[in-house]
Amino acid sequence: MLLTAFGLITLVMTALGTRSFNYSTPSTDLLIHAANVYFEYILFAIIVLYGAELMWRDRQLRIQDVMDATPISNGVLLFSKLTALFVMISLNLLLAMAVMIPYQALNGYYDFEIPLYFQMLFVEHGPYFYLIAVLSLFTQVITRHKYAGMALAIAIALSKIPLDAFGLYHNLYRFPSTNDIEYSLMNGYGNLLTGHLWYTLYWGIVGAILMAIAYIIWPRGTTNKSWGKAWKQANSAIKGTLFALIALFAGVGSWIGYNTMVVNPYQPPGKEETAAEIEKQFNKYENLPMPVVTDTDVKVDLFPEQGYFIAKGAYRLENRTKTPIKQIHLLTFINLNLEEVNYPGAKLKEAHPEWGYYIYSLDRPLMPGESETLEFTTKTKPSKGFRNQVDSDDVYMVYPNDVVGNGTNLHSPFILPFIGYTKMVEHKKAWLRDKLELPPLEERMRSFDDPMGLSQALTVSHLGWGEVDITVSTSSDQQIVTSGTLLKQWQEGDRNYFQYKLTAPDRSKFTLFSGRYGVHKNNDYRVPIEIYYHPQHEENVELMAQQVGKALEFYEKTFGPYPFEQVRVVEFVYYDGMVFSDRGTIGIPEVLVWKNEAQGLGEENIIDWLTYLLAYAWWEDQMIIADVSGSMTIREALSAYASSLYQRSRRTPEMQELAKKQQMRNFFRQLGKLDFQEPALIEVYNELAIARYKGGMVLELIEDLIGKEALLTAIKEFLAAYRYQNPPYATVMDLQAAIISQSPPEYRETIKELFAEVITYQVGLTDAAYESLPDGKFKITLEIEAQKRYTRELGRQEITELDIPLTIALSDEAGNTIYRKKHDISQQKATLELIVDQLPTNATVDPDYVLPSAFVQDNVKRLQEKKPES
């Protein structure tokens, strides 16, 4: 009862906690996912304890001998206890519904989706717990010791931990695991449910075998029968049943093995060696001269029902180096098959399909300045059977290119071949590189003046400015959304066709979205705004379109013209967790913004994501960033800063303060989970969260130092210098130089340091007091803590005094500002005395929260009257 009561409290707390998950409405799928803490720990513990109590209750009550003397069969004794456990589990699963449904109603959410509750609770999660109940009884029977049985049950249930350590990942021997299963709002379980049901049947048979064995060796009386004697005394019916179950177990296991190891390759998850092997074998080609893709013409056929695509395309390749190119290297990613490569005079020299790397030698070298066409076909295989796991490529920044039933997203670099080797495949975590015997990351990152890095684009090193023609087909009930102008749309048979054109200068990358979309169009702004959404997620669509339009007007006024003919925002499935923004087409997964509560911080989160991704139209689509250290900071920091500027233009002071506090809390919580050293902004490579959030904070701090007009002038000059430019491409040092050129001399070294060091601040008030003066004024005494903190290595900080002014503000009860001024605080603990005409209520340090700080709770202090000295 105590555990159940604790579980009830846990469920309630879990439900309340879902409000912080991307500020989402309390949908059924989210609540059940959030209840995993209850399911995985509380309910598990209840089952193990209750199973033991059921087995030993008779002995504790001293009626064991009486029960054993009755003519009740072993089957009745065993299955009555198993039934009691199953009923208890079912009631606990229903308890989750009893908590979650009223919680939804209390929060104004009435789409309860009762069938989904039953499906997720009893089909997705339930089988695991019913099998744990079987395991709990079985271990009690075979150990004939209460605590030994509990320990054995726990050990078996947690055996996946040592199995992981030995690299044993197949679910056929991981009791009672099934294949990965993920519910999607747009796509349901897709084809994942089939494997889950087969594994559930498989382990269900194992459970039946365990119960048959428990029936045979069930302890009766005061003596313990040997297993051999128990087997001899067992009747032929139970023996026959056991043999039949074993045969059925072998048959189902064979079918699962056939599907997961023959029809579909068995790829253990977490195989970090994949990326390491690619790097070890092929990074020697990193600086080999390769042509650049200038134009792309591609035809893609998507088959959502069968789960595959075929892409036939042509690249126009140009040699922009100063040397003849004698080889062309092609690289493809997970699940992608490369076929029918045609290039005049090209011969396949090496093929490494297991790594997706192919080397072609050219009969006639491609000379500097020359262009030639490369034709290719790429495809994925149709979905057949089921897999042991969802395909997971552990190569950082590379994601699956699966076609799903509804809500597909295919990013072009992962469905079309790369030209040459790319560092995108390399691990970025220092500890993992060391474990895999790879050179330290700092040795792999190109310096700011590296000629090859300056000549290549970050991550998509093979793409330059050009044009793209895209023709895509999909099922008759779906539509294709991508970047560019929709030239034509038609239907042939049971297929829908769409033709898009991306005119030069274009970054030559795009994302294809296919789904059964509802469409919302807004023509109230200079360019049309189109929202493509899952029909059940229309609540926020109008707000999204309005905010995109207003942000677009703000950005054009602040940074210059928006270069595209429309803005599109598209919803897609969440399986890979990415967001996209290519040439004015923004892709946001189903779990972000679409289900947010459109008020308070939920509304702010919607606008944050939209305006951040919309800003890519300036910092990603109008310039190419060099493949050198720190370049990711350019796009991410400038997009975050642009979003911040827009948000400040529309927020109330109270909302801005709340949002800034939340932003810092969220960022530093993420930072606390890092398992690698936080890089400085000039060292960021693919650490998106640091580049975005920390980079945006640093730009806001620089704005506070040099003024908004000076910073915006620097940013616009930087954009003008690199807009649509060919190599050498922009680096973070170029951005820094542009900012420094507009900065007063006294702040230039500080700005360099903000880019080059990992710096945070801790400022606060330890005391705030006032005393009345004879002339009617007030003397304010503030005890201030002000620290600048350098993070030199993981876990170690160096603390110094502030070297920039600190803003001090005094306000009355209504929040009206009485005093606001910057002060030089030269000590880590300082006393500041102020004289003001009006009595303030509160004192604040860093009232705009421009100093990146993990501690924001001590910024405000209520003034107390200073007591006279005795």
Side-chain angles (χ1 to χ4, degrees):
M1 289 300 293
L2 287 175
L3 272 175
T4 302
F6 182 65
L8 179 61
I9 295 171
T10 304
L11 283 171
V12 173
M13 297 301 294
T14 295
L16 293 172
T18 59
R19 297 183 65 86
S20 64
F21 183 78
N22 294 319
Y23 310 101
S24 176
T25 54
S27 60
T28 299
D29 62 294
L30 175 60
L31 290 172
I32 298 300
H33 280 307
N36 274 344
V37 172
Y38 166 73
F39 291 140
E40 293 181 3
Y41 299 102
I42 308 301
L43 184 53
F44 176 86
I46 291 173
I47 294 169
V48 173
L49 288 172
Y50 189 42
E53 288 299 320
L54 283 174
M55 286 297 299
W56 291 88
R57 179 186 55 186
D58 294 344
R59 295 193 180 187
Q60 289 173 344
L61 296 176
R62 301 183 183 277
I63 59 172
Q64 177 70 23
D65 293 341
V66 176
M67 294 297 297
D68 290 341
T70 63
I72 301 175
S73 71
N74 291 354
V76 173
L77 293 172
L78 174 62
F79 289 106
S80 63
K81 300 179 190 305
L82 183 63
T83 301
L85 275 174
F86 278 17
V87 170
M88 181 274 297
I89 293 168
S90 300
L91 290 175
N92 273 271
L93 294 176
L94 292 172
L95 178 64
M97 290 181 62
V99 171
M100 301 303 184
I101 291 175
Y103 175 79
Q104 289 176 307
L106 288 172
N107 284 275
Y109 188 91
Y110 301 107
D111 185 12
F112 300 131
E113 298 180 286
I114 301 300
L116 182 59
Y117 266 114
F118 278 96
Q119 188 175 29
M120 295 189 75
L121 288 171
F122 290 93
V123 179
E124 180 180 346
H125 294 287
Y128 172 83
F129 298 107
Y130 293 122
L131 286 165
I132 292 296
V134 170
L135 177 66
S136 176
L137 289 182
F138 177 74
T139 56
Q140 291 293 328
V141 171
I142 63 171
T143 61
R144 303 186 181 184
H145 188 283
K146 181 177 182 180
Y147 297 108
M150 292 168 62
L152 181 59
I154 294 171
I156 294 173
L158 299 181
S159 61
K160 62 183 66 176
I161 298 174
L163 289 174
D164 284 348
F166 288 105
L168 301 173
Y169 296 103
H170 206 292
N171 294 318
L172 283 171
Y173 43 74
R174 294 163 65 94
F175 183 90
S177 298
T178 68
N179 63 311
D180 295 328
I181 183 169
E182 184 80 22
Y183 181 79
S184 163
L185 301 165
M186 296 184 70
N187 194 44
Y189 288 109
N191 60 1
L192 302 178
L193 188 60
T194 302
H196 176 77
L197 294 176
W198 274 106
Y199 273 113
T200 299
L201 174 62
Y202 172 81
W203 288 117
I205 296 169
V206 171
I209 291 172
L210 296 182
M211 287 296 93
I213 295 173
Y215 173 84
I216 292 172
I217 64 172
W218 183 265
R220 301 194 72 141
T222 57
T223 60
N224 291 327
K225 288 187 296 184
S226 67
W227 287 22
K229 186 176 182 180
W231 175 257
K232 290 180 181 179
Q233 293 179 351
N235 59 54
S236 57
I238 189 60
K239 291 180 181 179
T241 301
L242 181 59
F243 286 129
L245 287 171
I246 292 173
L248 188 58
F249 163 77
V252 174
S254 298
W255 176 247
I256 291 174
Y258 172 72
N259 275 273
T260 58
M261 290 185 280
V262 179
V263 176
N264 295 288
Y266 168 57
Q267 296 177 327
K271 50 182 188 352
E272 295 93 351
E273 292 80 6
T274 304
E277 196 61 35
I278 293 173
E279 180 177 345
K280 289 174 182 178
Q281 289 198 34
F282 305 115
N283 74 347
K284 60 188 176 184
Y285 301 123
E286 179 181 11
N287 293 318
L288 194 68
M290 284 290 138
V292 172
V293 178
T294 58
D295 296 309
T296 303
D297 188 338
V298 64
K299 297 177 175 60
V300 184
D301 295 314
L302 272 65
F303 299 91
E305 292 82 5
Q306 293 79 32
Y308 76 103
F309 74 87
I310 301 173
K312 296 183 178 182
Y315 286 155
R316 190 65 181 173
L317 302 180
E318 180 181 339
N319 182 356
R320 292 183 176 176
T321 73
K322 297 179 180 179
T323 60
I325 293 176
K326 299 179 181 180
Q327 292 183 344
I328 293 178
H329 294 211
L330 301 181
L331 175 64
T332 61
F333 291 101
I334 187 171
N335 286 343
L336 192 61
N337 297 318
L338 178 64
E339 301 179 1
E340 300 180 22
V341 175
N342 294 310
Y343 181 97
K347 296 179 180 178
L348 181 61
K349 181 182 178 182
E350 293 183 32
H352 304 275
E354 68 274 26
W355 311 119
Y357 204 93
Y358 305 84
I359 299 175
Y360 291 83
S361 59
L362 306 182
D363 286 346
R364 191 184 75 82
L366 186 65
M367 303 304 291
E370 288 186 344
S371 297
E372 189 53 83
T373 299
L374 171 76
E375 297 177 342
F376 56 84
T377 298
T378 57
K379 62 167 61 174
T380 55
K381 295 179 181 179
S383 297
K384 294 181 179 180
F386 53 91
R387 303 168 182 170
N388 184 66
Q389 74 290 321
V390 177
D391 278 322
S392 58
D393 194 353
D394 47 290
V395 179
Y396 188 72
M397 282 290 291
V398 177
Y399 294 89
N401 43 30
D402 285 345
V403 176
V404 300
N406 183 39
T408 295
N409 66 289
L410 298 175
H411 193 42
S412 60
F414 307 140
I415 65 171
L416 308 179
F418 268 75
I419 306 296
Y421 178 81
T422 173
K423 282 207 291 290
M424 185 186 290
V425 302
E426 297 181 1
H427 287 297
K428 302 304 181 293
K429 297 180 180 181
W431 68 268
L432 189 54
R433 295 186 65 82
D434 182 65
K435 171 188 173 184
L436 297 171
E437 299 181 348
L438 296 169
L441 185 61
E442 54 268 22
E443 295 180 11
R444 296 292 302 128
M445 295 173 64
R446 288 173 169 148
S447 63
F448 307 116
D449 57 356
D450 182 89
M452 183 63 72
L454 292 172
S455 69
Q456 294 182 344
L458 181 68
T459 65
V460 283
S461 53
H462 63 301
L463 300 180
W465 299 112
E467 291 189 347
V468 181
D469 285 284
I470 311 168
T471 301
V472 193
S473 73
T474 188
S475 301
S476 59
D477 62 342
Q478 298 195 20
Q479 63 186 112
I480 295 291
V481 186
T482 190
S483 307
T485 302
L486 178 60
L487 300 179
K488 187 179 179 183
Q489 177 179 344
W490 71 98
Q491 188 169 18
E492 290 183 12
D494 61 350
R495 307 283 296 165
N496 285 340
Y497 287 80
F498 303 80
Q499 183 181 2
Y500 286 86
K501 175 79 171 181
L502 286 66
T503 55
D506 185 79
R507 287 297 313 277
S508 301
K509 61 185 180 66
F510 54 89
T511 305
L512 301 177
F513 303 95
S514 179
R516 294 183 285 272
Y517 289 118
V519 183
H520 175 85
K521 296 185 178 182
N522 186 314
N523 296 309
D524 295 339
Y525 301 92
R526 189 183 67 79
V527 299
I529 298 166
E530 304 169 0
I531 312 291
Y532 296 84
Y533 61 94
H534 185 45
Q536 296 179 14
H537 296 161
E538 63 180 347
E539 293 85 357
N540 297 335
V541 165
E542 188 171 341
L543 168 68
M544 293 167 65
Q546 290 174 352
Q547 288 300 324
V548 167
K550 291 177 180 178
L552 184 62
E553 291 180 337
F554 180 87
Y555 287 168
E556 289 198 303
K557 187 181 299 183
T558 306
F559 301 115
Y562 176 75
F564 308 123
E565 297 177 355
Q566 70 285 309
V567 181
R568 300 186 180 106
V569 183
V570 192
E571 184 176 8
F572 63 91
V573 295
Y574 182 62
Y575 294 143
D576 58 26
M578 287 187 77
V579 293
F580 299 95
S581 183
D582 304 300
R583 195 183 169 91
T585 297
I586 297 169
I588 302 179
E590 56 195 345
V591 298
L592 299 177
V593 310
W594 306 97
K595 296 201 313 170
N596 277 32
E597 294 181 340
Q599 57 185 355
L601 289 175
E603 180 180 6
E604 296 303 304
N605 189 61
I606 294 172
I607 302 170
D608 277 340
W609 275 109
L610 290 171
T611 54
Y612 154 70
L613 292 170
L614 179 63
Y616 273 41
W618 282 264
W619 316 118
E620 170 75 359
D621 296 323
Q622 296 188 47
M623 64 167 57
I624 293 179
I625 302 167
D627 187 18
V628 298
S629 176
S631 289
M632 184 69 73
T633 298
I634 297 174
R635 182 191 72 195
E636 294 301 310
L638 288 173
S639 296
Y641 178 65
S643 174
S644 171
L645 283 174
Y646 172 70
Q647 288 283 54
R648 281 185 274 158
S649 75
R650 55 167 290 277
R651 284 174 177 156
T652 63
E654 294 77 16
M655 197 67 222
Q656 173 64 14
E657 178 183 332
L658 180 62
K660 284 291 293 181
K661 286 182 178 179
Q662 192 63 38
Q663 178 195 46
M664 288 201 185
R665 289 192 189 102
N666 291 343
F667 171 71
F668 283 100
R669 282 172 187 160
Q670 289 185 50
L671 206 59
K673 298 176 183 178
L674 292 182
D675 52 7
F676 57 90
Q677 169 66 42
E678 177 191 352
L681 294 179
I682 64 171
E683 297 172 346
V684 165
Y685 193 73
N686 272 336
E687 296 83 6
L688 292 178
I690 293 170
R692 176 185 175 184
Y693 296 108
K694 186 68 173 291
M697 291 178 197
V698 166
L699 290 179
E700 288 189 64
L701 174 54
I702 293 173
E703 176 197 313
D704 187 66
L705 293 175
I706 71 174
K708 183 164 70 173
E709 291 306 315
L711 181 56
L712 287 178
T713 298
I715 290 172
K716 286 186 282 189
E717 288 182 354
F718 171 70
L719 177 60
Y722 290 96
R723 180 186 278 121
Y724 303 126
Q725 291 298 303
N726 288 320
Y729 295 131
T731 73
V732 70
M733 302 307 290
D734 299 316
L735 174 61
Q736 177 186 282
I739 294 172
I740 288 175
S741 71
Q742 297 295 322
S743 303
E746 63 267 27
Y747 293 132
R748 291 178 180 176
E749 289 304 315
T750 298
I751 292 170
K752 289 180 182 179
E753 196 177 45
L754 288 170
F755 277 91
E757 299 278 359
V758 179
I759 297 173
T760 56
Y761 298 85
Q762 183 171 337
V763 296
L765 289 165
T766 58
D767 193 28
Y770 72 89
E771 61 178 299
S772 302
L773 299 178
D775 60 359
K777 296 184 178 182
F778 299 90
K779 180 180 178 181
I780 310 299
T781 304
L782 304 177
E783 300 294 335
I784 300 172
E785 182 183 61
Q787 298 176 350
K788 180 179 184 180
R789 298 185 168 202
Y790 296 87
T791 301
R792 301 298 189 188
E793 59 186 44
L794 194 63
R796 187 177 72 85
Q797 289 191 326
E798 179 183 314
I799 302 174
T800 64
E801 297 78 18
L802 284 187
D803 57 358
I804 57 176
L806 179 64
T807 301
I808 308 295
L810 304 175
S811 59
D812 62 18
E813 191 71 53
N816 300 312
T817 300
I818 294 173
Y819 175 94
R820 182 186 175 103
K821 189 176 179 180
K822 291 184 177 181
H823 290 266
D824 291 319
I825 308 296
S826 58
Q827 298 176 314
Q828 294 184 33
K829 292 185 178 181
T831 300
L832 179 66
E833 294 183 345
L834 306 172
I835 305 297
V836 294
D837 296 330
Q838 183 181 345
L839 178 62
T841 303
N842 295 306
T844 310
V845 294
D846 187 28
D848 298 325
Y849 297 91
V850 298
L851 298 176
S853 174
F855 308 94
V856 295
Q857 67 270 27
D858 296 328
N859 286 38
V860 182
K861 199 84 172 177
R862 190 174 183 88
L863 276 82
Q864 303 293 328
E865 185 174 7
K866 189 174 183 180
K867 297 179 181 179
E869 295 183 4
S870 56

